[in-house]
Amino acid sequence: MTVWTWTKLAEAGKAAEATPILDRFAENPDRFAEFSVTLDDMTLDFSKTTLDAGAVALLVELAEEQGVPERRDVMFTGGKINITEGRAVLHTALRNRSGKAILVDGTDVMPEVREVLDRMAVFATGIRSGKIAAIDGKPFTDVVNIGIGGSDLGPAMATLALAPYHDGPRLHYVSNVDGADIHDKLLGLDPARTLVIVASKTFTTIETMTNARTAKAWMEAALGPDAGKHFAAVSTALDKTAAFGIDPSRVFGFWDWVGGRYSVWGAIGLPVMIAIGPDDFGEFLDGAQDMDQHFQSAPLARNMPVLLGLVGIWHRNVMGYQTRAILPYDQRLSRLPAYLQQLDMESNGKSVTLDGSPVTTATGPVVWGEAGTNGQHAFYQLLHQGTNIVPCEFLIAAVGHEPALEHHHQLLIANCLAQSEALMRGRTLAEAGKTVKDPALAPHKVFPGNRPSTTLVYTELTPRTLGRIIALYEHRVFVEGVIWGINSYDQWGVELGKELATALLPLVESGRGFGGKDGSTAGLLQTITDLRG
Ligand SMILES: O=P(O)(O)OC[C@H]1O[C@](O)(CO)[C@@H](O)[C@@H]1O
């Protein structure tokens, strides 16, 4: 009975406060082994948390009671778990390399998935080799991807993450409707050498369509009516890509059962495939499949995504922490926090359960972060001494991609481990007193410690490793969403702002008619109108 389990968990949470994390290692020399989980060369360490064996057992019980294994199996087999949109949730089909059929409404989706991936590979290879050339017969040197949200964050994050594997044309990402974005990205690009990919699941998103039209005008000004030959599209709306003038042979489709924020594995990943090539893109998919298979087969208590999800539940619901920080010690993962913000917050930022009734527990935390070590010199002050406790999620590769700069990587590792140690260990007043001549300074140098973190360690940030990392976080979001009883796969919360922006545009354009608006909005419209002159 779930209420009973939540009650027991609340008691466990109170009891946990009595034993500092650091002391738990003295009590149990096997704590690291017992509170970490491994998949091949990847280890998730959650020993620097207040969890003990009893709490983990209760959390696993909660996951079982809430039906995590059953819901997982329904998701993987094409059940329509996105009930508010009547859709299956099958991003896992995009990286199903097993040859097994996956049925949606009785039809195997795998032949279509493979067909699109094969077409992407032919196109990407052609662009990379120059066989698919610009209208003057010369190779494309630059690719501009226009998209936003899931049609931008995943490929942009992955392109940066996999820079050491990038041997195709240069990639540029335009997302913001702010004209500054497309202006600055196109500046210095030669339309004669540039391919534009318009990426939009719906092909209606105002930001993307506005940027796409601007890019088309830029291209047409240079190339005239042949400009369309420098465009490709990724979308589920094939009628709309045709209306935009993109040749169907350059349109790569996907399906309504792939959510935008889960879509990097298929056609939305086209720019990544162009950058790193189909073979490495295949490795990326293989990595995700590794995690899928582990998620499906490992017992809950040794299951990496389940445990990461349960650590999240412990921190959010039992300890009451409101945010979680994503802290990759990898400059090339500097877009990971932004990517995970959409994945996590658009999925689990919900207030009603599947049946529409209000939730009775807190749901998704605020997700934020920055690459280490940069964050250390910005916001770690608050992490160590602020009044909020922020569970920190560190990521670090054992090996960097720059052998000649090995000393940099050693410093990076030392910094990463030092931070989780410092958060846990803290510094007492007595210890602080020994570091200062003036005792009045000692309180300023106290660190409360006992601040929780997890660390994900792997050999090297390869395409396969990146695939595993992203799939790990996708499944973590799933596990938490199931426990909270919410639909992680819709995003109605983004609609109201879009509707109001559409209604406001004519007022901005005309500079009048503010009467029906609330005082603040009318006042801001008037002020902006006056400033625009
Ligand atoms: O790919 P599209 O349809 O342009 O949508 C872009 C993004 O907009 C949203 O629908 C809402 O912001 C996201 O879920 C999605 O990733």
Side-chain angles (χ1 to χ4, degrees), residues 60-143:
V60 168
E61 210 174 297
L62 179 71
E64 274 162 358
E65 285 170 1
Q66 292 295 93
V68 168
E70 294 79 14
R71 299 287 293 173
R72 173 196 63 197
D73 296 346
V74 173
M75 175 174 76
F76 272 92
T77 51
K80 297 198 173 171
I81 62 169
N82 176 358
I83 53 159
T84 59
E85 297 180 308
R87 292 175 182 170
V89 173
L90 269 181
H91 44 281
T92 50
L94 302 177
R95 64 248 187 165
N96 167 27
R97 326 266 283 165
S98 69
K100 281 194 202 138
I102 298 180
L103 304 183
V104 174
D105 292 329
T107 305
D108 181 10
V109 299
M110 288 313 301
E112 276 193 54
V113 168
R114 280 191 286 269
E115 197 238 343
V116 171
L117 278 172
D118 289 348
R119 284 186 55 232
M120 285 166 63
V122 170
F123 187 70
T125 305
I127 298 286
R128 287 161 58 81
S129 68
K131 199 170 157 203
I132 299 177
I135 54 173
D136 61 5
K138 293 184 188 160
F140 289 107
T141 56
D142 293 87
V143 176

Side-chain angles (χ1 to χ4, degrees), residues 509-525:
E509 286 170 339
S510 68
R512 350 189 221 99
F514 314 151
K517 290 287 163 192
D518 63 88
S520 168
T521 308
L524 289 168
L525 280 165

Side-chain angles (χ1 to χ4, degrees), residues 148-151 200-202 205 260-261 342 346 491 494 498:
I148 196 164
S151 300
S200 173
K201 182 175 171 182
T202 55
T205 304
R261 53 195 175 273
Q342 188 199 15
E346 203 172 72
Q491 57 282 318
V494 300
K498 286 187 196 171

Side-chain angles (χ1 to χ4, degrees), residues 144 146-147 182 195-200 202-220 224-235 237-248 250-251:
V144 175
I146 297 180
I182 191 156
L195 174 78
V196 176
I197 300 174
V198 184
S200 173
T202 55
F203 230 69
T204 57
T205 304
I206 190 80
E207 292 93 335
T208 298
M209 298 325 296
T210 304
N211 280 322
R213 282 189 288 270
T214 299
K216 199 173 180 193
W218 173 76
M219 199 68 91
E220 277 170 354
D226 274 345
K229 296 192 175 137
H230 282 213
F231 274 79
V234 176
S235 186
L238 306 188
D239 52 334
K240 295 194 174 69
T241 56
F244 189 83
I246 301 179
D247 191 295
R250 291 189 171 194
V251 177

Side-chain angles (χ1 to χ4, degrees), residues 347-368:
S347 296
N348 283 344
K350 309 284 165 65
S351 297
V352 293
T353 59
L354 290 170
D355 67 8
S357 58
V359 292
T360 52
T361 55
T363 62
V366 175
V367 177
W368 60 288

Side-chain angles (χ1 to χ4, degrees), residues 107-455:
T107 305
D108 181 10
V109 299
M110 288 313 301
E112 276 193 54
V113 168
R114 280 191 286 269
E115 197 238 343
V116 171
L117 278 172
D118 289 348
R119 284 186 55 232
M120 285 166 63
V122 170
F123 187 70
T125 305
I127 298 286
R128 287 161 58 81
S129 68
K131 199 170 157 203
I132 299 177
I135 54 173
D136 61 5
K138 293 184 188 160
F140 289 107
T141 56
D142 293 87
V143 176
V144 175
N145 188 80
I146 297 180
I148 196 164
S151 300
D152 167 76
L153 287 163
M157 177 273 297
T159 303
L160 178 59
L162 300 177
Y165 303 84
H166 190 152
D167 53 5
R170 289 182 289 265
L171 254 296
H172 313 267
Y173 288 89
V174 173
S175 52
N176 201 319
V177 76
D178 182 349
D181 196 7
I182 191 156
H183 172 271
D184 291 358
K185 300 275 169 53
L186 296 185
L187 208 65
L189 291 188
D190 178 359
R193 301 266 66 75
T194 302
L195 174 78
V196 176
I197 300 174
V198 184
S200 173
K201 182 175 171 182
T202 55
F203 230 69
T204 57
T205 304
I206 190 80
E207 292 93 335
T208 298
M209 298 325 296
T210 304
N211 280 322
R213 282 189 288 270
T214 299
K216 199 173 180 193
W218 173 76
M219 199 68 91
E220 277 170 354
L223 307 183
D226 274 345
K229 296 192 175 137
H230 282 213
F231 274 79
V234 176
S235 186
T236 56
L238 306 188
D239 52 334
K240 295 194 174 69
T241 56
F244 189 83
I246 301 179
D247 191 295
S249 67
R250 291 189 171 194
V251 177
F252 301 88
F254 58 117
W255 306 272
D256 71 359
W257 40 261
V258 183
R261 53 195 175 273
Y262 297 87
S263 62
V264 67
W265 315 104
I268 289 290
L270 179 64
V272 184
M273 194 190 262
I274 291 173
I276 65 174
D279 290 347
D280 279 340
F281 193 81
E283 284 280 308
F284 175 57
L285 300 184
D286 285 341
Q289 183 183 241
D290 293 343
M291 191 56 74
D292 291 345
Q293 290 173 345
H294 167 82
F295 181 46
Q296 286 177 283
S297 60
L300 298 193
R302 300 308 301 155
N303 191 309
M304 199 180 284
V306 171
L307 288 165
L308 188 60
L310 294 179
V311 169
I313 296 286
W314 176 254
H315 288 152
R316 182 77 184 106
N317 299 109
V318 182
M319 308 310 287
Y321 305 143
Q322 294 186 336
T323 84
R324 66 171 61 126
I326 306 295
L327 305 170
Y329 274 65
D330 188 324
Q331 184 58 26
R332 296 195 179 103
L333 284 179
S334 57
R335 294 295 289 156
L336 184 69
Y339 172 78
L340 292 183
Q341 278 178 331
Q342 188 199 15
L343 180 67
D344 202 322
M345 294 164 79
E346 203 172 72
S347 296
N348 283 344
K350 309 284 165 65
S351 297
V352 293
T353 59
L354 290 170
D355 67 8
S357 58
V359 292
T360 52
T361 55
T363 62
V366 175
V367 177
W368 60 288
E370 173 64 269
T373 59
N374 297 18
Q376 288 175 208
H377 298 272
F379 54 79
Y380 277 40
Q381 165 64 40
L382 182 148
L383 298 182
H384 287 289
Q385 289 189 315
T387 52
N388 277 299
I389 296 182
V390 180
C392 294
E393 304 194 356
F394 296 97
L395 296 94
I396 180 83
V399 179
H401 276 100
E402 289 72 33
L405 301 175
E406 177 60 12
H407 59 297
H408 284 252
H409 200 75
Q410 287 167 350
L411 260 172
L412 191 70
I413 294 171
N415 271 277
C416 179
L417 301 190
Q419 291 303 322
S420 64
E421 186 184 351
L423 285 165
M424 170 178 70
R425 186 176 289 278
R427 179 184 276 158
T428 63
L429 187 61
E431 287 166 342
K434 290 184 192 145
T435 70
V436 289
K437 284 197 186 118
D438 177 0
L441 280 181
H444 297 275
K445 301 188 95 180
V446 168
F447 291 67
N450 204 32
R451 301 200 160 187
S453 67
T454 59
T455 303

